[in-house]
Amino acid sequence: MRIARQGLVILPLLMVSISATQTVTAQSQPAAGAPNLQSQSEQLFVLANQARAAQGIARLQWDPALAAAALQHCRRMVAEGPIAHRYGGEPDLTARAGDAGAHFSLIEENVALGAYAATIHDSWMHSPGHRANLLNPDVDRVGIAVVPANGVLYAVADYARAVPVLAQAQVEASIARLLRAKGMTILKDVGDARAYCANASKGNSGPGFLMRWQNADLTVLPQPLLDRLASGRYRQAAVGSCAPQDVEGSFTTYRVAVLLY
């Protein structure tokens, strides 16, 4: 059995030095007075995707749930004063994002304060850890929040690798398609496979090989299973899915079992 565990990545926070001479590359600086929070968040979003494009990395898509989680933490940073990734009594990043409705297998966070969105982005790009988060090719979604207070902008960017939300039958169908592509006939009876998935009995039908695993990615089969399929000893397969076990944080993952005959 091979279980893939996803990890939480939180890199050191950054206290941004402000320079009045820095300029915005995405759009002009806001007029004096209260900034337009939506435009500030959008500006950081645009700048991030410009930076990724310059490096040949796929653009990020906006995620409203991540943005909601980022805003919750951004408001907490304003209330606390010193910026941090987590305060006493506050849920961790995975819990905040999960509670907001995000589904992910990887999540990262950048926090900062600065005079303008452009200075914040520039400081992230000149900090190795923050730059790595922003340019990480393994993330594909982002939610950004900006809150003004004390004459500066507080900013939070939550980056994640999105995971589709699938029902039990959809999970099984996804794995079944991969097995059919390997020449396997898929059995309609999923009872034994579902039971084995949940660590129960494997049934009495005598499979020649059994495997169960957890992963957020349903587009590839585990290598031990591929090796068995390549042996040519098996012609039929049963696929079952069940609730994941021992998942740390609010990561979205799927538990699957395959029985080969």
Side-chain angles (χ1 to χ4, degrees), residues 118-186:
T119 61
I120 291 172
H121 171 78
D122 185 66
S123 295
W124 281 344
M125 290 297 292
H126 286 85
S127 167
H130 296 83
R131 179 186 175 92
N133 281 350
L134 196 153
L135 297 181
N136 187 350
D138 291 331
V139 299
D140 56 15
R141 299 289 191 277
V142 67
I144 303 172
V146 176
V147 175
N150 307 316
V152 294
L153 300 177
Y154 289 75
V156 176
D158 288 343
Y159 312 91
R161 176 84 177 180
V163 175
V165 182
L166 301 177
Q168 183 180 38
Q170 291 175 308
V171 174
E172 293 166 351
S174 296
I175 299 301
R177 281 193 293 270
L178 298 177
L179 291 168
R180 287 193 186 94
K182 297 295 183 181
M184 301 299 294
T185 298
I186 306 303

Side-chain angles (χ1 to χ4, degrees), residues 187-198:
L187 301 177
K188 293 183 178 181
D189 186 354
V190 299
D192 286 350
R194 286 182 176 179
Y196 179 64
C197 180

Side-chain angles (χ1 to χ4, degrees), residues 52-63:
R52 289 171 70 90
Q55 298 295 321
I57 304 169
R59 65 178 284 108
L60 297 168
Q61 296 185 37
W62 186 265
D63 189 306

Side-chain angles (χ1 to χ4, degrees), residues 80 125 131 155 207 218 259:
E80 295 285 346
M125 290 297 292
R131 179 186 175 92
L218 298 178
L259 314 184

